[in-house]
Amino acid sequence: MELGAAMDSTTDSTTDPTTDSATVRRLMEDCQKLKDQAVELYLTHSANTDVEGVDSGNISPSHSLLSFSTILSRILNEERTLECEVNSQMETGKGGAVDKVVMKELTRVREMREIVQSWESTCEDCTVAASMLGESGISEMLSELSSRLAVHAEEVEAMMVKASFKGKYDDEPCCRFVITAGAGGTEACDWVEMLGRMYVNYFNSKGWNVKTEGSTKGDVVGYKSLEVKVKGEEGEYVYGKLKMEKGAHRLVRISPFNSQGKRMTTFAAVEVNPELEGRSFGAEMEGVE
């Protein structure tokens, strides 16, 4: 919405100076918070970038001394550096091939630049609105700006999630998930099945496709090993979200398989690897209820 249109003298709305003043104060606070989050986003991105030749520069974490223009200047410099790298690789590489990591980084930087520019525009409009208190149409303008800031708050959360995934394969939408019984015999095999059900329920709740790739049944119950493929959509960071599950998982309980009713400790190992082939597969988990 153009600010000039909002201030049309033909507007019949009634303004409440007290309410509008309170709204402006809240909007300006939200703008300051948005600027701080833009700095945090860029600092997180800079710490996580792994493209050679890209120097994001040092930014002081003192948010109060920074402006959107400073942040955007750094982002634009990084974008230009990456564009030069892409052009160079297209000219010298065979068949115009460009390094996948560089292209991913360029796409991410461009997205960050466009979003931060929209944040800056909204905050500039809030400053203009603050200077127009008492004029006709101000309430409608403030309402529209409040809506825009609410949208930006959601964008901040999404962008911070993306910036936190710094691994080379974190954005891969497909991975292999393997659970293997450790010490504990039958108890460990039962633990593998319990973990399998838990993880599959989680995968399904996220809307990811799951397919059994292999399994070895336990002698009494459960599984000695269980392997599945998990596939989401591009941009869901399936591998990045699941890789922290790697390692040993322990269960301590009074075992139903111990005739003396003793408490037992058992282990299962989880291994997660990115699946780079990108082949599609079914949405159902076979063999695990």
Side-chain angles (χ1 to χ4, degrees):
M1 180 179 72
E2 295 292 335
L3 291 181
M7 307 308 299
D8 194 316
S9 61
T10 61
T11 302
D12 295 326
S13 61
T14 301
T15 61
D16 182 341
T18 301
T19 301
D20 289 344
S21 295
T23 301
V24 166
R25 285 195 297 271
R26 178 178 57 78
L27 291 180
M28 298 309 294
E29 290 173 357
D30 288 346
C31 285
Q32 181 60 47
K33 182 179 179 180
L34 189 61
K35 189 194 75 169
D36 291 348
Q37 289 171 323
V39 175
E40 184 179 357
L41 171 64
Y42 183 71
L43 289 173
T44 303
H45 162 80
S46 299
N48 291 346
T49 186
D50 56 1
V51 176
E52 293 184 5
V54 172
D55 181 10
S56 301
N58 295 319
I59 286 186
S60 167
S62 178
H63 295 183
S64 61
L65 301 179
L66 296 172
S67 64
F68 276 113
S69 59
T70 301
I71 302 166
L72 283 169
S73 175
R74 299 300 182 104
I75 296 174
L76 285 168
N77 286 338
E78 187 172 344
E79 184 177 354
R80 294 189 189 101
T81 300
L82 289 166
E83 287 174 343
C84 289
E85 177 63 22
V86 168
N87 292 334
S88 176
Q89 290 188 15
M90 291 181 67
E91 292 174 0
T92 60
K94 296 181 180 180
V98 178
D99 186 278
K100 184 179 179 181
V101 174
V102 176
M103 283 303 301
K104 285 182 180 179
E105 193 68 15
L106 178 56
T107 299
R108 185 164 65 168
V109 169
R110 282 174 173 168
E111 181 184 15
M112 181 167 57
R113 187 253 303 159
E114 291 172 355
I115 285 184
V116 172
Q117 284 176 332
S118 72
W119 295 352
E120 180 185 38
S121 176
T122 296
C123 290
E124 288 175 347
D125 288 349
C126 286
T127 301
V128 173
S131 67
M132 296 179 174
L133 275 176
E135 299 187 28
S136 63
I138 187 66
S139 296
E140 289 81 358
M141 183 195 306
L142 295 177
S143 177
E144 191 264 349
L145 289 171
S146 294
S147 298
R148 284 163 61 179
L149 283 168
V151 172
H152 294 333
E154 296 177 357
E155 293 171 343
V156 167
E157 184 176 355
M159 290 298 292
M160 288 303 295
V161 169
K162 289 184 179 181
S164 67
F165 291 111
K166 63 180 180 179
K168 184 176 181 179
Y169 300 111
D170 281 0
D171 62 346
E172 291 296 334
C174 182
C175 69
R176 288 177 177 267
F177 202 93
V178 183
I179 310 174
T180 306
T186 298
E187 180 79 352
C189 292
D190 193 40
W191 180 219
V192 169
E193 184 172 15
M194 292 166 63
L195 283 173
R197 286 198 302 268
M198 178 187 73
Y199 281 121
V200 169
N201 287 336
Y202 174 74
F203 302 154
N204 288 334
S205 73
K206 302 292 288 186
W208 297 338
N209 293 334
V210 185
K211 181 183 178 183
T212 302
E213 288 294 299
S215 64
T216 302
K217 287 280 190 179
D219 294 334
V220 180
V221 297
Y223 297 91
K224 293 181 179 179
S225 66
L226 181 65
E227 178 178 354
V228 300
K229 269 189 178 181
V230 187
K231 181 176 175 62
E233 300 293 333
E234 290 290 340
E236 288 192 298
Y237 296 88
V238 173
Y239 174 68
K241 292 176 179 177
L242 296 181
K243 68 178 184 180
M244 297 306 294
E245 297 300 318
K246 290 181 182 179
H249 293 248
R250 183 177 67 171
L251 172 67
V252 180
R253 70 172 180 175
I254 296 176
S255 174
F257 307 106
N258 185 290
S259 59
Q260 298 178 353
K262 291 183 177 181
R263 183 165 61 180
M264 296 182 63
T265 300
T266 189
F267 297 88
V270 172
E271 183 66 29
V272 187
N273 293 300
E275 176 62 53
L276 305 179
E277 297 176 345
R279 294 175 296 183
S280 61
F281 45 88
E284 297 298 327
M285 172 74 175
E286 302 172 5
V288 177
E289 297 297 332

